[in-house]
Amino acid sequence: MSAHAHVASVDYAALDDHALVAQVRAGHREAFRHIMQRCNQRLFRVARAVLGEDAEAEDVLQESYMRAYHKLDSFRGDSTLLTWLTSIVLNEARGRLRKRHTMVGLEQVDAAVEDTHQIIQFPSKFGSEDPAVSAARTQIRHLLEHAIDKLPEAFRTVYMMREVEECSVEETASLLAIKPETVKTRLHRARRLLRTSLQGTLAETMSGAFPFMGQRCARVTDAVMARLETEQSA
């Protein structure tokens, strides 16, 4: 990667992913900030689906972005940039999981998981609606997160990718290195494990689950940019 250069006239927000990649390869690190901002939401959700924990998922995102930045020249555009980055995040997250020594077979994780996770606090995306309605939406989202967090990791990851991020069966299968039929089976089992009574109620709030916006997004993005700056000046 060539040395960083300042190009004040470039409107990075208006560039597509391939143009942003070209800018980063040309040495304009600020373009990488825009790549992160575009991809943070899905990548955080995927990392959290694997690890089931917020702080470690954020750490995985930082490490994955650093890895991606340094190997950006290997991105050939055969898949979308988001798919390429998702693959890197999945590899990093699974590496963390292996280090925990908690990888177990699916047959062993059908028992109920002890509920020790922390609920993610959601900012309201519905504006100045009735406080009772807002409270109800927040409670529904919390219930959704509890239900998803209780899924076995393999089912949780498929569910998050298919239902929350709306990845196709083919993309999910490719990223997870499993057969499309396995994706369908795991999604079916995940749906069965989630209480049927929750499904209809939670469907309309699905897109707001596990957000990666505001302070959380800025924290990871700024941390990666600072690390890149430190590397450059070293």
Side-chain angles (χ1 to χ4, degrees):
M1 203 84 60
S2 60
H4 175 64
H6 293 281
V7 181
S9 61
V10 176
D11 181 6
Y12 294 119
L15 300 179
D16 64 22
D17 290 344
H18 289 282
L20 282 175
V21 169
Q23 287 289 318
V24 178
R25 285 172 172 166
H28 311 310
R29 281 203 311 275
E30 188 62 24
F32 196 68
R33 180 191 299 274
H34 288 263
I35 289 175
M36 289 189 287
Q37 289 171 341
R38 289 181 186 181
C39 299
N40 269 338
Q41 179 86 306
R42 177 202 275 194
L43 299 182
F44 171 72
R45 285 169 166 172
V46 168
R48 195 187 187 286
V50 174
L51 296 165
E53 200 273 328
D54 292 358
E56 194 167 11
E58 288 189 31
D59 191 43
V60 161
L61 245 60
Q62 284 195 41
E63 295 305 320
S64 297
Y65 280 135
M66 294 298 294
R67 190 182 303 272
Y69 181 86
H70 289 298
K71 62 186 291 189
L72 199 60
D73 286 339
S74 69
F75 174 66
R76 298 288 177 246
D78 298 329
S79 62
T80 66
L81 181 61
L82 182 56
T83 296
W84 184 72
L85 289 169
T86 301
S87 179
I88 294 174
V89 169
L90 279 169
N91 288 336
E92 180 71 22
R94 285 169 161 174
R96 296 296 182 91
L97 207 57
R98 284 191 293 271
K99 289 178 182 178
R100 285 190 199 167
H101 303 291
T102 57
M103 294 282 290
V104 292
L106 290 182
E107 298 78 14
Q108 298 174 294
V109 292
D110 286 333
V113 178
E114 183 180 0
D115 184 13
T116 58
H117 63 279
Q118 293 185 338
I119 300 172
I120 297 177
Q121 298 299 318
F122 287 87
S124 174
K125 61 173 282 188
F126 298 98
S128 56
E129 62 185 351
D130 181 88
V133 174
S134 178
R137 290 187 189 277
T138 300
Q139 183 178 19
I140 287 170
R141 289 181 191 167
H142 287 174
L143 289 172
L144 172 62
E145 289 191 348
H146 275 292
I148 293 176
D149 277 346
K150 290 177 182 178
L151 293 172
E153 182 269 326
F155 299 155
R156 185 172 66 235
T157 304
V158 167
Y159 190 87
M160 289 285 282
M161 293 181 70
R162 289 284 291 119
E163 295 285 4
V164 181
E165 280 303 307
E166 299 181 342
C167 298
S168 68
V169 171
E170 292 73 20
E171 183 181 11
T172 303
S174 176
L175 286 167
L176 299 179
I178 57 179
K179 297 178 180 179
E181 294 76 15
T182 305
V183 172
K184 295 175 183 178
T185 299
R186 291 184 184 179
L187 179 59
H188 177 68
R189 291 193 64 184
R191 286 170 173 166
R192 288 185 58 188
L193 289 171
L194 293 172
R195 290 188 301 155
T196 303
S197 61
L198 288 178
Q199 287 297 107
T201 308
L202 296 177
E204 66 181 69
T205 62
M206 189 69 71
S207 64
F210 300 104
F212 198 84
M213 301 174 288
Q215 291 183 352
R216 192 174 300 213
C217 177
R219 182 165 60 244
V220 168
T221 303
D222 290 344
V224 172
M225 295 301 293
R227 288 175 64 177
L228 292 175
E229 184 70 33
T230 299
E231 284 188 355
Q232 185 65 33
S233 59

